């Protein structure tokens, strides 16, 4: 049985080299296929291996055009072109969720809010890349303080026991101390996780206010499948927040689409 994704041999690629994961999208002008792997200790080698494996499956030697984006885009010497993650995330989010007018992306090391037009072009943006507050890294540290893996947090119903607490600091170090203190006081995980979501949503909503977000808001990034956090963001923004099961690939999808555009005019 032929397990190739594409029947065409002209394929372009987009690679989003994030701080936590490498995302790869292959596109032939019709189909978009996405794969990922951890960034590991050597993201350049991880990205090259992921690309080689995906192309080999398609019996394609090299992509016709390759756009790199993300945290490590300047460490990908094999790409045709590097583009900013703001530009690529906007285009990719618009591809996945055409109705979106604003994009909220929470990545491993940064959070960004982007207002876009109908074509997925950036109209305005704001980004928190100087501090881990409100990012996937923040959530990971808090999960560790609770004795959980970050993936397990999404499976716990926040606030289900009716207890309430607050986390006042958005500094990762101080917030971790607060969480440990709450655990030692006997506050439940459910209550603490609910407070974490509120803290993250408050931070992200305050950041997004700078671009006057327009609904609907597309939620992308590594934690976009966390429905409790999505609902908390919607509540804090006062706007509908939507997501997609491939939302983690928004950056690489946007990069692949820009690669296809470049191929058509070359």
């Amino acid at each position: 049985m032929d397990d190739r994704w594409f029947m065409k041999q002209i394929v372009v690629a987009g690679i989003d080299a994030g701080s936590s994961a490498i995302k790869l999208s292959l596109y032939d002008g019709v189909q978009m296929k996405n794969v990922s792997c951890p960034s590991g200790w050597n993201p350049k080698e991880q990205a090259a291996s992921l690309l080689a494996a995906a192309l080999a499956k398609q019996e394609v030697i090299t992509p016709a055009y390759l756009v790199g984006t993300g945290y490590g885009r300047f460490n990908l010497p094999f790409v045709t072109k590097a583009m900013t993650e703001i530009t690529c995330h906007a285009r990719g989010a618009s591809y996945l969720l055409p109705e979106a007018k604003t994009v909220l992306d929470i990545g491993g090391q940064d959070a960004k809010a982007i207002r876009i037009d109908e074509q997925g072009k950036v109209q305005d943006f704001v980004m928190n890349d100087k501090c881990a507050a409100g990012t996937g890294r923040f959530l990971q540290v808090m999960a560790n303080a609770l004795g959980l893996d970050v993936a397990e947090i999404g499976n716990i119903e926040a606030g289900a026991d009716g207890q309430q607490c607050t986390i006042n600091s958005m500094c990762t170090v101080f917030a971790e101390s607060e969480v440990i203190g709450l655990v030692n006081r006997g506050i439940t995980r459910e209550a603490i996780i609910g407070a974490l979501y509120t803290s993250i949503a408050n931070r992200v909503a305050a950041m997004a206010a700078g671009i006057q977000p327009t609904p609907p808001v597309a939620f992308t990034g590594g934690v976009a499948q966390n429905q409790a956090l999505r609902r908390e963001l919607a509540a804090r923004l006062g706007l509908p927040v939507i997501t997609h099961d491939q939302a983690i690939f928004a950056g690489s999808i946007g990069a692949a689409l820009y690669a296809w555009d470049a191929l058509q005019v070359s």
Side-chain angles (χ1 to χ4, degrees):
M1 179 177 174
D2 190 347
D3 64 350
R4 287 181 299 167
W5 293 329
F6 306 114
M7 296 311 296
K8 298 181 180 181
Q9 292 299 301
I10 298 177
V11 175
V12 298
I15 293 183
D16 179 5
S19 60
S20 300
I22 306 294
K23 284 80 66 177
L24 168 68
S25 296
L26 297 179
Y27 185 56
D28 69 348
V30 178
Q31 297 183 84
M32 184 78 69
K33 297 296 181 180
N34 309 307
V35 292
S36 67
C37 70
S39 295
W41 69 274
N42 192 328
K44 179 172 70 174
E45 287 189 2
Q46 288 287 87
S49 295
L50 183 67
L51 177 64
L55 291 174
K57 187 175 182 180
Q58 304 315 305
E59 299 178 5
V60 176
I61 296 175
T62 185
Y65 203 99
L66 200 168
V67 170
T69 191
Y71 190 76
R73 65 185 180 275
F74 296 119
N75 194 32
L76 302 175
F78 47 84
V79 302
T80 313
K81 181 180 182 180
M83 296 184 67
T84 70
E85 55 195 290
I86 295 293
T87 302
C88 291
H89 275 81
R91 181 79 179 274
S94 182
Y95 173 88
L96 293 170
L97 298 161
E99 67 272 38
K101 299 296 186 294
T102 304
V103 181
L104 282 183
D105 183 87
I106 299 181
Q109 295 286 356
D110 62 45
K112 40 195 170 283
I114 314 165
R115 198 173 69 247
I116 60 176
D117 65 12
E118 290 76 8
Q119 286 75 47
K121 293 183 179 179
V122 177
Q123 300 296 293
D124 198 3
F125 76 93
V126 63
M127 185 174 183
N128 165 34
D129 61 351
K130 304 299 182 185
C131 172
T135 68
R137 175 60 180 164
F138 177 86
L139 195 56
Q140 183 178 44
V141 171
M142 300 309 120
N144 291 341
L146 290 169
L148 298 169
D149 183 87
V150 68
E152 294 177 294
I153 280 190
N155 297 324
I156 295 176
E157 188 174 352
D161 57 0
Q163 283 193 22
Q164 291 187 342
C165 64
T166 59
I167 294 173
N168 297 307
S169 178
M170 278 307 295
C171 169
T172 303
V173 175
F174 293 146
E176 182 182 22
S177 295
E178 281 194 68
V179 168
I180 293 171
L182 291 169
V183 170
N184 290 334
R185 283 169 46 197
I187 304 299
T188 65
R189 283 174 170 173
E190 290 82 0
I192 296 172
I193 290 170
L196 284 171
Y197 290 161
T198 298
S199 181
I200 292 171
N202 282 340
R203 171 79 177 202
V204 173
M207 177 190 69
I211 63 163
Q212 299 180 333
T214 302
V217 177
F219 184 22
T220 64
V223 297
Q225 300 308 310
N226 188 312
Q227 295 303 312
L229 181 54
R230 181 190 61 78
R231 290 191 294 270
E232 192 67 30
L233 284 168
R236 299 297 157 181
L237 289 167
L239 299 171
V241 176
I242 57 178
T243 192
H244 190 281
D245 62 4
Q246 297 291 294
I248 190 174
F249 294 102
S252 60
I253 288 172
L257 292 171
Y258 278 115
W260 187 258
D261 290 349
L263 187 64
Q264 305 315 300
V265 298
S266 61

